[in-house]
Amino acid sequence: MDRILEGKTGVVFGVANKRSLAWACARSLSDAGMRLAFTYLGDRLEKTVRQLAAELPNSIVLPCDVTQPEQVTEVFEAIGKEFGHLDTVLHAIAFARKEELQGDFYHTTKEGYMLAHEVSAYSLTEITRAALPLMEGREGTIVTLSYIGADRVIPGYNVMGIAKAALEASVRYLAADLGPRGIRVNAISAGPVRTLSASGVKDFSKRLDNVADRTALRRNVTAEEVGDACLFLTGPHSRGITGSVLFVDAGFHIMG
Ligand SMILES: NC(=O)c1ccc[n+]([C@@H]2O[C@H](COP(=O)([O-])OP(=O)(O)OC[C@H]3O[C@@H](n4cnc5c(N)ncnc54)[C@H](O)[C@@H]3O)[C@@H](O)[C@H]2O)c1
């Protein structure tokens, strides 16, 4: 792997364990030379995230629950002290209550709707705003993870599909805001991968089997493939791309 990100720094939101898409992305970025900060949600995940981060050179680990604005501020204060600047933000977090991810969408409660949007969509804007002072003048990149449930009705995805649609629209507005500063903002729409969050979606295993038969490549994607797409959107080879949603789904989205 070429060290195309040597001397660059990034922050990764969303590692829960080694199956996390955020972890696959982090590995691709680190292999290319990027120094990383990781955040974790709550004491329960701290040990796992610290153990994983220790596998990558010079990484740091910080707590962050995006529903607590002061924790978002503290993350970037700590990164400022440790790294001095920031080139990349990877936003790979989402949450909806289990009861909102089954049955009919119209049963979604206002509380459940707001929580899903706060964590899964609004947090991108909040994190971007907090990161900006450290990203000035560095032609940085921001990448988030979405799903085809933003465009199409996927049974069981429910309120998360609405939140992903808001996330993808946020990518476009943020890209337009930050383009004049040379900062690019893109999303990856990943095919289904078995992770902790995915297990919360009803009948996820069935979906994995169904999708594999219906993709152009006749298989599911791997977390590593999502990680390498993240490297592409972070690095110089994608320098002409911003405001886009890149499908990394083995071609599922083109099939009729
Ligand atoms: N796995 C898939 O099939 C798939 C497909 C397309 C998109 N995605 C997206 O990829 C992203 C990563 O999910 P994953 O599948 O790797 O699962 P994951 O469970 O490994 O990661 C989700 C992360 O969100 C974090 N999170 C939840 N609430 C948070 C909060 N309040 N503050 C901070 N962090 C919080 C969790 O701690 C966890 O690390 C999500 O945005 C998900 O929607 C996943």
Side-chain angles (χ1 to χ4, degrees):
M1 164 85 64
D2 290 343
R3 306 273 295 172
I4 53 175
L5 301 180
E6 197 72 65
K8 305 272 186 190
T9 58
V11 58
V12 175
F13 290 82
V15 176
N17 57 36
K18 65 176 177 1
R19 288 177 182 270
S20 295
L21 295 181
W23 176 240
C25 293
R27 289 228 307 229
S28 291
L29 298 177
S30 176
D31 286 351
M34 182 172 273
R35 186 179 177 202
L36 294 172
F38 290 90
T39 68
Y40 63 89
L41 172 67
D43 297 344
R44 210 168 43 83
L45 293 179
E46 180 176 3
K47 193 173 161 206
T48 311
V49 176
R50 284 196 186 280
Q51 279 169 349
L52 288 171
E55 294 178 19
L56 307 183
N58 298 319
S59 56
I60 62 168
V61 177
L62 304 159
C64 187
D65 177 341
V66 294
T67 65
Q68 309 296 317
E70 68 285 356
Q71 291 191 20
V72 176
T73 306
E74 283 164 16
V75 163
F76 290 98
E77 281 171 4
I79 291 173
K81 279 192 195 126
E82 193 69 29
F83 293 176
H85 57 77
L86 191 67
D87 299 289
T88 291
V89 174
L90 172 64
H91 174 276
I93 62 184
F95 182 78
R97 293 191 306 209
K98 208 161 186 160
E99 55 269 33
E100 316 285 357
L101 297 175
Q102 51 196 318
D104 289 327
F105 165 65
Y106 71 80
H107 287 305
T108 306
T109 62
K110 183 175 177 184
E111 220 190 332
Y113 187 103
M114 301 305 266
L115 180 61
H117 281 69
E118 180 182 16
V119 175
S120 317
Y122 177 68
S123 62
L124 177 69
T125 299
E126 183 173 32
I127 286 169
T128 297
R129 194 168 53 242
L132 272 183
L134 294 174
M135 295 181 82
E136 289 294 353
R138 298 193 62 83
E139 310 222 314
T141 50
I142 298 170
V143 177
T144 186
L145 293 183
S146 190
Y147 183 56
I148 199 167
D151 313 301
R152 298 194 206 163
V153 175
I154 306 290
Y157 206 58
N158 294 5
V159 70
M160 191 54 80
I162 321 301
K164 291 299 193 192
L167 179 72
E168 292 184 11
S170 305
V171 163
R172 293 185 280 275
Y173 278 87
L174 291 170
D177 281 353
L178 305 185
R181 304 181 194 202
I183 298 172
R184 299 186 291 112
V185 188
N186 290 291
I188 292 169
S189 182
V193 178
R194 206 181 290 279
T195 62
L196 192 63
S197 294
S199 63
V201 179
K202 197 166 179 282
D203 294 332
F204 182 79
S205 287
K206 248 192 252 165
R207 176 144 195 91
L208 269 180
D209 295 339
N210 290 342
V211 166
D213 292 341
R214 290 166 53 207
T215 66
L217 295 177
R218 304 295 192 276
R219 64 167 179 83
N220 284 306
V221 289
T222 64
E224 289 69 30
E225 288 167 342
V226 176
D228 284 347
C230 175
L231 170 60
F232 166 68
L233 286 178
T234 300
H237 296 111
S238 62
R239 61 193 175 280
I241 301 175
T242 193
S244 289
V245 179
L246 177 65
F247 282 94
V248 181
D249 67 348
F252 178 78
H253 70 287
I254 62 163
M255 301 300 279

